[in-house]
Amino acid sequence: MASQGRTDMEVGSDGVAVITIVNPPVNSLSLDVLMSLKDNYEQALSRDDVKAIVITGAKGKFSGGFDITAFGGVQSGKTVQPKDGYISIDVITDTLEAARKPSVAAIDGLALGGGLEVAMACHARICTSTAQLGLPELQLGIIPGFGGTQRLPRLVGLTKALEMILLSKSIKGEEAHNVGLVDAVVPPDELVETARRWALEIAECRKPWIKSLYKTDKLESLGDAREILKFARAQAQKQAANLQHPLVCIDVIEEGIVSGPRAGLWKEAQSFKILLASDTCKNLVHVFFAQRATSKVPGVTDLGLVPRKITKVGILGGGLMGSGIATALILSNYPVILKEVNENFLKSGMDRVKANLQSRVRKGKMTEDKFERTLSLLTGVLDYESFRDVDLVIEAVIENVSLKQQIFADLEKYCSPNCILASNTSTIDLNLIGVKTMSQDRIVGAHFFSPAHVMPLLEIVRTHKTSPQVVVDLLDVGKKIRKTPIVVGNCTGFAVNRMFFPYTQSALLFVDYGLDVYKIDRACTKFGMPMGPFRVADLVGFGVAVATGMQYLESFPDRVYKSILMSLMLEDKRAGEATRKGFYKYDDKRKASPDPEIMKYIEKSRNMAGITPKPELLKLSDNDIVQMVFLPVVNEACRVLEEGIAVKASDLDIASIFGMGFPPYRGGIMHWADSLGAKYICERLEAWSKGYGDFFKPCSYLKERAAKGISLSAQASQAKARL
Ligand SMILES: C[C@H](O)CC(=O)SCCNC(=O)CCNC(=O)[C@H](O)C(C)(C)COP(=O)(O)OP(=O)(O)OC[C@H]1O[C@@H](n2cnc3c(N)ncnc32)[C@H](O)[C@@H]1OP(=O)(O)O
């Protein structure tokens, strides 16, 4: 449902009309808001008692930009749209910017997308130091459409504007002032007053009356501009070769520089309209809402529970995962107690956290001072004494059931009865972990992805005994440490690893049948994956991959393809990137290159499996290969939904994007699958299962939806949550 919203106008005795954008929660610019803004403006222009105008947003937020909830209506043609360029040219340029009375934007909180574009059409901008200003439209598959491609380069210069637009990077008040985007930074309680005075001073010609669209002093010379744009095009293609809209954006900016800003505005309006209807935009908007929906869990977050305050966190194990989790927590100001079993391990763990932070200092993301303050939040211990007042414990020791059972029994003795007891296990049944305790209601999975301080996903695993309060508490911690949480049920591999497993499995199967390792990886990266399945296996290491395979074989024996290829390589101490040799060989700089030697292992694997390569596989297109690798992933995702492990399909879209690196512009695994259709997927899997075995057999969820013509993402009313 598109929001409505309005603007309110109040005219003060000083002759300043203050127009306030009101459209909670982020004062987005719906068509209603924009029309109301235009009406208020026209009133202010015609009233004799108004000398100048201030635009601001209600409740400390200027505006989060064009109303994204309205995109769907526009795309489906259900919402009638104004004529091309109406908002950008008629309203924002010819009504606001060209007005005969000056306007000043008073910006607190957000000024994003269309919000910043309205502000840039004002004749000056005042903001607070915490204001967040940016043009993040590219993240939604569109370009700025209210003049941002023209005004931002003219206010801050081409290089800075390209950085902000192409990387969707917003900036805070001080930086905005330094680069020339705003004219002054003031405390929040002086914001509107300063803007009023400023607007009057412009009216009285005591301050310059600047129309951003016609500024030229910040623009580089045409020659320099062309070089900068050429570089930007190359970068954009390197980052995401499948995406068109960044290149369109650069073309639009260039048009303004070469043919003048008005021509730029026209090209912007036309391109905006085309991009808004694109699949990329639809997919990225889907991802935007899917990401926000992950923290809405029926039966948990709709109970009115308030998250309890977590003041101190205990972490068990300072290995790669434990130290990464500790880093993530202290970075968000949580005091952390890190426990290890001996001085040596403890020192290594503490050093790892230190190194994680130091790397941020080296990259200029953290000052030395902040480094010291952050590190001071970490305390290393060897016993449980200081666990008595922690509110949350995250266990991150090796995957050993009896060790974990002992740890949880100990925790129950030492920690307060309200303390949340979380495990970072990636596979072990949580019920098993808590079997020696009476605390099953506060036992939960907090499954981070490595490196935990970098990867954005947090899988929150609840058993049927975990209390909703504990899930709400963990969702809150997840938000505070800036992770995207998905709440899932308890099973081997949970949601993300269960979906990830068939990715490598099908690739291994097709290699046994004759497909080339590197061809598979190339097809996957061309599709948009950061790495193909074999490069990922090298990164994870064959030891872990083979051990995980065993667990899956135990849990899902009916559908595991028993490849021995990695075990054969392991026998020769060829274990992936860590040993410099896996499916690829690695040089001193860890650069991967194909290694013809792997053929001997592949041939051995085929012989041992008694498989004769199928020549028809050699003729497959990249698209066929991608489907062969991903349709088994879709099949498993359907099982995960059918079993109630995931609550909704869009959660799996987010899990695939943040956990597996599935390209967001394809909307996530289930959204992409629906673009192919359940019937098509089912038929392909059926055909492969005849040729290559049960691994491909479509599950009942998929078969049923294919038969009934229901999309895979549609909410399953019959799905019984197994939680
Ligand atoms: C023509 C123009 O050039 C085109 C545009 O302007 S396109 C829009 C450009 N703007 C954006 O891309 C901003 C998108 N929004 C965001 O990045 C973030 O929501 C934010 C930084 C504004 C706020 O983040 P945060 O405080 O974490 O809150 P978040 O949960 O994301 O959002 C709060 C609510 O506002 C909604 N919302 C945020 N921005 C919105 C927007 N532009 N339109 C409609 N709803 C929006 C969210 O969907 C969410 O709704 P919910 O509570 O029902 O789930």
Side-chain angles (χ1 to χ4, degrees), residues 6 107 178 180 267 294 318 361 423 456 477 496 565 617 685 712 717:
R6 60 177 201 278
I107 304 168
N178 292 340
K267 194 171 168 83
T294 60
V361 175
S423 170
V477 174
V496 180
L565 184 53
L617 286 184
L685 288 169
L712 297 176
S717 49

Side-chain angles (χ1 to χ4, degrees), residues 25-26 28 64-69 71 110 112-114 117 136-137 140 142-146 272 288-289 292 296:
V26 297
S28 65
F66 193 56
D67 179 12
I68 305 171
T69 60
F71 280 26
L110 310 163
L112 297 175
E117 292 175 292
E137 284 89 341
L140 298 169
I142 49 171
I143 60 170
F146 293 165
F272 179 81
F288 176 83
F289 288 115
R292 273 138 195 95
K296 294 173 183 131

Side-chain angles (χ1 to χ4, degrees), residues 54-57 62 104-108 122 124-127 191-192 195:
V54 164
I55 305 183
T56 193
F62 188 79
V104 173
I107 304 168
D108 196 6
C122 292
R125 283 150 297 282
I126 317 292
C127 76
L191 180 65
V192 175

Side-chain angles (χ1 to χ4, degrees), residues 224-288:
D224 286 354
R226 284 211 155 111
E227 280 305 306
I228 296 169
L229 292 166
K230 191 172 149 198
F231 180 72
R233 277 192 185 95
Q235 286 293 103
Q237 278 200 294
K238 205 167 121 194
Q239 262 158 23
N242 292 331
L243 293 181
Q244 281 306 307
H245 67 288
L247 299 176
V248 172
C249 185
I250 297 171
D251 290 348
V252 169
I253 294 175
E254 183 166 44
E255 173 77 3
I257 293 172
V258 174
S259 312
R262 204 120 180 136
L265 283 184
W266 272 112
K267 194 171 168 83
E268 183 194 85
Q270 284 155 354
S271 306
F272 179 81
K273 189 179 167 190
I274 295 169
L275 291 170
L276 193 61
S278 68
D279 284 341
T280 301
C281 173
K282 288 176 193 161
N283 295 342
L284 287 169
V285 167
H286 166 75
V287 171
F288 176 83

Side-chain angles (χ1 to χ4, degrees), residues 546-558:
V546 169
T548 312
M550 299 302 282
Q551 277 163 355
Y552 280 83
L553 187 60
E554 217 172 277
S555 304
F556 315 111
D558 54 324

Side-chain angles (χ1 to χ4, degrees), residues 447-708:
H447 180 210
F448 289 80
F449 294 77
S450 184
H453 58 295
V454 179
M455 292 292 279
L457 193 65
L458 171 63
E459 218 171 6
I460 298 176
V461 189
R462 53 176 171 161
T463 68
H464 59 284
K465 290 184 188 146
T466 310
S467 82
Q469 179 67 54
V470 163
V471 177
V472 166
D473 295 340
L474 216 51
L475 277 168
D476 190 51
V477 174
K479 189 174 168 124
K480 295 211 166 94
I481 60 174
R482 288 188 283 275
K483 300 286 178 207
T484 296
I486 56 159
V487 176
V488 300
N490 187 24
C491 67
T492 300
F494 315 129
V496 180
N497 284 344
R498 256 184 79 173
M499 286 197 300
F500 215 150
F501 191 61
Y503 181 50
T504 321
Q505 280 258 294
S506 50
L508 285 166
L509 183 149
F510 283 115
V511 165
D512 274 351
Y513 278 95
L515 262 181
D516 176 52
V517 161
Y518 308 114
K519 194 169 175 191
I520 296 177
D521 268 8
R522 262 197 314 275
C524 292
T525 48
K526 214 170 128 196
F527 178 72
M529 293 299 285
M531 290 179 192
F534 296 105
R535 180 68 187 83
V536 173
D538 274 4
L539 187 71
V540 172
F542 295 179
V544 174
V546 169
T548 312
M550 299 302 282
Q551 277 163 355
Y552 280 83
L553 187 60
E554 217 172 277
S555 304
F556 315 111
D558 54 324
R559 56 178 192 268
V560 169
Y561 177 67
K562 298 179 201 77
S563 163
I564 49 163
L565 184 53
M566 282 196 261
S567 305
L568 289 174
M569 290 181 164
L570 260 183
E571 281 171 13
D572 277 359
K573 306 224 166 6
R574 198 180 173 114
E577 194 178 318
T579 55
R580 298 263 197 107
K581 274 181 174 189
F583 289 105
Y584 295 80
K585 54 185 177 195
Y586 296 86
D587 67 13
D588 290 345
K589 291 185 182 133
R590 306 229 143 186
K591 191 174 172 318
S593 53
D595 185 356
E597 247 189 46
I598 62 166
M599 273 323 289
K600 77 172 187 218
Y601 301 100
I602 293 174
E603 269 153 27
K604 199 166 172 191
S605 168
R606 282 176 191 156
N607 284 340
M608 289 175 77
I611 292 174
T612 319
K614 298 200 175 189
E616 67 263 27
L617 286 184
L618 303 177
K619 290 187 230 123
L620 291 179
S621 69
D622 284 348
N623 191 35
D624 285 327
I625 295 177
V626 162
Q627 291 191 2
M628 284 171 142
V629 174
F630 279 108
L631 297 191
V633 175
V634 172
N635 200 15
E636 192 63 20
C638 288
R639 288 191 186 97
V640 165
L641 274 174
E642 187 174 32
E643 293 166 25
I645 296 299
V647 181
K648 48 192 179 304
S650 63
D651 284 356
L652 297 181
D653 286 329
I654 294 304
S656 68
I657 292 168
F658 291 111
M660 293 173 65
F662 194 86
Y665 53 84
R666 296 191 191 275
I669 190 77
M670 297 304 279
H671 193 77
W672 172 75
D674 275 329
S675 74
L676 299 174
K679 189 165 172 283
Y680 171 82
I681 296 173
C682 201
E683 282 167 3
R684 292 221 79 175
L685 288 169
E686 296 268 19
W688 292 332
S689 69
K690 283 185 194 122
Y692 306 101
D694 283 356
F695 170 71
F696 291 103
K697 225 170 159 185
C699 68
S700 51
Y701 179 101
L702 189 48
K703 279 205 273 201
E704 193 183 321
R705 293 200 169 212
K708 291 187 181 158

